[in-house]
Amino acid sequence: MALVAIELLQDQTTTLDASNWTSSNTLQLSVIASSTLIIDNIDVNLTNIIGGGVLSNTVIQLVNAGNVTVNPSLLTLGVGSVITYQIGFNSTLTINSGLLSVGLLQATTVDFANSGGGGHFIFTPPVIGLSVSGPPTVTNVRIGDRITVVGSTSIGQSGNVISFYAPALLGLPVHLISYMIPEGVQYLYRPGDETLTFTSNCFLQGTRIATPTGEVLVDSLREGDEVLTLENVAAPVKWIGRRTIDPKMVDKPRNHLPVRIIAGALGDNVPHRDLFVSPDHCIYVADTLIPAKLLINGTTISQILTLQPVTYFHIELEAHDIVWAEGAPAETYLDLGNRHTFLEPGVLLFTSPARKHASSRYPIAYEGLAIDQARMFVESRGQALGIAEEETTAA
């Protein structure tokens, strides 16, 4: 294992990638004034950050599934210095803070602006049982972004402050760390994996769809782009549907509010991230298309209750088919003659009777044995996951 020392100079951008880095190396940074380090599709173990008393503003960008683990043995920065970690899509920042000073933690910012909803921040508090009132600042979270606090088993909320707690000591929960989160942001906390996942206000906007070149945000797809069908065959997009719904403006909000399917609810790593769909959007379960609302069990599959506007997307192929959304099989748009009702490009908001007369490539069920079997399967998956959930929304 080699210790590689890199000096970041004023206004200098340095890139580490497979051409100049091996995973067995460890990194020591010397930072001077304003500089940028890009971690591109590699794993980097950062052990030392040395500022030499010089005021600095260092940006470390994690791109293309680049990952950084901070295992501090020597971290010295000048007063007023700042380190900003910008987490990209499928990238993870891990800070094992050890005995890191609270002052240095307060000088650290974790920015999810470029994550595309696929960023992950893992934080181990300085000492389990030692409360940290000034943790790294977290900004620009998006739907799908995650924060893991190692050792946590529960959370609490006061205003827009989320606090993580360890198991009770002498009858009282042990406070580990607290974060300020944006007003109105929604989240899901899972004690089993010590992780909080942000769900924000636009539920389907930001959903990732499998394509021949990898997952792409549904709101980035355009007509003519190719997506992967159930058989992993590439098919071009014929039409993109989009519509924003304000729950306060509809008579029956539950007919429109999103259904959340948590990661693993339909199989190992299926979906691989929480998936949000409209209630009547069909999911392929046990060789049958079933509206998501008929699978709701209140735990692994539930409906989000919100008064915030939600934005739905849908895609249409040349023929009705199934695509991979967040790793789960979900149907494409099926034209029932209601395209003209979309003032914006449309959203799938079908009623069950209409769907019974539509021409679908796969069988669709609204009642009977197929529904019972699908619900039993979902229940068995919930038991396998053993997840107890706590869910809420910032005030």
Side-chain angles (χ1 to χ4, degrees), residues 272-319:
H272 50 239
R273 293 188 187 279
D274 291 359
L275 172 64
F276 299 85
V277 296
S278 58
D280 288 286
H281 194 131
C282 288
I283 306 299
Y284 194 60
V285 181
D287 301 322
T288 304
L289 283 169
I290 298 175
K293 65 185 180 184
L294 300 183
L295 298 174
I296 292 175
N297 60 8
T299 54
T300 59
I301 302 179
S302 58
Q303 190 165 40
I304 302 299
L305 302 181
T306 180
L307 293 178
Q308 300 294 327
V310 294
T311 299
Y312 288 113
F313 281 77
H314 219 324
I315 60 176
E316 182 183 25
L317 307 183
E318 191 61 37

Side-chain angles (χ1 to χ4, degrees), residues 101 185 342:
S101 71
V185 166
F342 303 139

Side-chain angles (χ1 to χ4, degrees), residues 95-98 105 123-130 132 149-151 176-177:
I95 296 181
N96 299 321
S97 56
L105 288 174
F123 184 72
T124 302
V127 177
I128 298 298
L130 174 63
V132 179
V149 176
V150 176
L176 297 176
I177 203 164

Side-chain angles (χ1 to χ4, degrees), residues 129 166-175:
L169 182 65
L170 300 179
L172 296 175
V174 177
H175 177 245

Side-chain angles (χ1 to χ4, degrees), residues 43-319:
D43 297 331
V44 171
N45 185 9
L46 176 59
T47 59
N48 301 332
I49 301 178
I50 303 173
V54 178
L55 185 66
S56 61
N57 181 8
T58 304
V59 176
I60 300 178
Q61 298 178 351
L62 286 60
V63 302
N64 299 322
N67 303 308
V68 170
T69 300
V70 183
N71 287 304
S73 57
L74 175 62
L75 290 99
T76 59
L77 292 179
V79 176
S81 294
V82 176
I83 298 178
T84 299
Y85 296 91
Q86 297 177 349
I87 303 180
F89 182 64
N90 276 348
S91 294
T92 299
L93 168 66
T94 302
I95 296 181
N96 299 321
S97 56
L99 298 176
L100 206 59
S101 71
V102 171
L104 186 54
L105 288 174
Q106 290 174 325
T108 298
T109 296
V110 179
D111 187 356
F112 284 94
N114 299 322
S115 72
H120 191 186
F121 173 39
I122 302 174
F123 184 72
T124 302
V127 177
I128 298 298
L130 174 63
S131 173
V132 179
S133 59
T137 300
V138 176
T139 63
N140 298 315
V141 294
R142 301 180 60 179
I143 178 173
D145 290 329
R146 293 173 293 160
I147 295 177
T148 297
V149 176
V150 176
S152 69
T153 56
S154 63
I155 59 172
Q157 178 179 338
S158 177
N160 289 340
V161 176
I162 300 298
S163 297
F164 291 78
Y165 296 94
L169 182 65
L170 300 179
L172 296 175
V174 177
H175 177 245
L176 297 176
I177 203 164
S178 296
Y179 290 104
M180 179 75 73
I181 64 173
E183 182 176 343
V185 166
Q186 297 182 334
Y187 58 86
L188 168 72
Y189 177 71
R190 298 182 188 157
D193 56 14
E194 307 166 331
T195 297
L196 183 148
T197 301
F198 292 96
T199 58
S200 84
N201 290 332
C202 294
F203 294 91
L204 288 189
Q205 188 168 9
T207 297
R208 287 169 286 268
I209 305 297
T211 77
T213 57
E215 289 187 319
V216 174
L217 297 177
V218 68
D219 32 315
S220 298
L221 287 172
R222 299 293 181 267
E223 294 180 7
D225 291 348
E226 291 186 332
V227 296
L228 290 179
T229 64
L230 182 65
E231 296 85 5
N232 287 322
V233 174
V237 174
K238 177 182 177 181
W239 177 74
I240 299 288
R242 171 178 175 168
R243 187 180 180 187
T244 298
I245 296 175
D246 187 344
K248 298 187 294 293
M249 303 299 291
V250 295
D251 292 334
K252 298 179 180 180
R254 282 189 177 273
N255 291 345
H256 309 285
L257 293 177
V259 174
R260 178 183 61 212
I261 303 169
I262 72 168
L266 303 177
D268 292 340
N269 208 34
V270 180
H272 50 239
R273 293 188 187 279
D274 291 359
L275 172 64
F276 299 85
V277 296
S278 58
D280 288 286
H281 194 131
C282 288
I283 306 299
Y284 194 60
V285 181
D287 301 322
T288 304
L289 283 169
I290 298 175
K293 65 185 180 184
L294 300 183
L295 298 174
I296 292 175
N297 60 8
T299 54
T300 59
I301 302 179
S302 58
Q303 190 165 40
I304 302 299
L305 302 181
T306 180
L307 293 178
Q308 300 294 327
V310 294
T311 299
Y312 288 113
F313 281 77
H314 219 324
I315 60 176
E316 182 183 25
L317 307 183
E318 191 61 37

